[in-house]
Amino acid sequence: MSEIEVLSRAGGKLTITCAFCKGTGKDPFELLSKLSNCQVCGGRGKFSLAEPAIECAFCGGTGIHRDQRLTCTVCGGKGMVTVEKSTQTCPDCGGRGVAEGGYLPCVTCGGTGVVAKKAAAQKAKTGKKAKKR
Ligand SMILES: [Zn+2]
Ligand SMILES: [Zn+2]
Ligand SMILES: [Zn+2]
């Protein structure tokens, strides 16, 4: 389950709580010391991210590398990643962001679980019209 909280959304920027430390600004695993700052956000507990951003599929928005006490290599521990404006579910991993074997990020989508529509359109053309607001 994701621990990310969207704090604000303005001007194409998203401010979210740091997934790795859950916004505390402290190292969640206390690897160095109880008082050490979170290595991901540098102790700030939050991030700004360019939109559109989605929850990182590889770590499920936790910011933590699968089964390890390391930061997720896909989102860098943020729990969210900025993606292309127009995306679709990665055909290779089905949106899970995980390559076969369950350990490494999917090479096709880089672990985000989505691919840019353009790239996917080369593989299979859909006749759907993009919705505009
Ligand atoms: Zn943090
Ligand atoms: Zn991640
Ligand atoms: Zn994929």
Side-chain angles (χ1 to χ4, degrees), residues 43-59:
R44 284 173 299 137
K46 58 182 181 179
F47 285 109
S48 286
L49 214 67
E51 287 208 272
I54 58 160
E55 198 175 287
C56 173
F58 188 62
C59 64

Side-chain angles (χ1 to χ4, degrees), residues 60-123:
T62 60
I64 299 162
H65 196 284
R66 303 175 82 81
D67 307 322
Q68 287 184 46
R69 290 182 163 197
L70 296 171
T71 53
C72 170
T73 49
V74 176
C75 61
K78 295 176 185 178
M80 284 182 91
V81 280
T82 300
V83 295
E84 303 277 340
K85 278 209 167 62
S86 175
T87 57
Q88 66 173 44
T89 307
C90 173
D92 283 353
C93 62
R96 293 182 307 129
V98 187
E100 239 174 281
Y103 190 70
L104 294 168
C106 169
V107 255
T108 309
C109 59
T112 58
V114 295
V115 288
K117 269 230 170 94
K118 275 181 282 174
Q122 288 167 355
K123 280 189 178 175

Side-chain angles (χ1 to χ4, degrees), residues 18-26 38-43 45-47:
C18 173
F20 197 64
C21 63
K22 300 180 174 63
T24 62
K26 298 292 171 201
C38 168
Q39 56 186 306
V40 176
C41 60
K46 58 182 181 179
F47 285 109

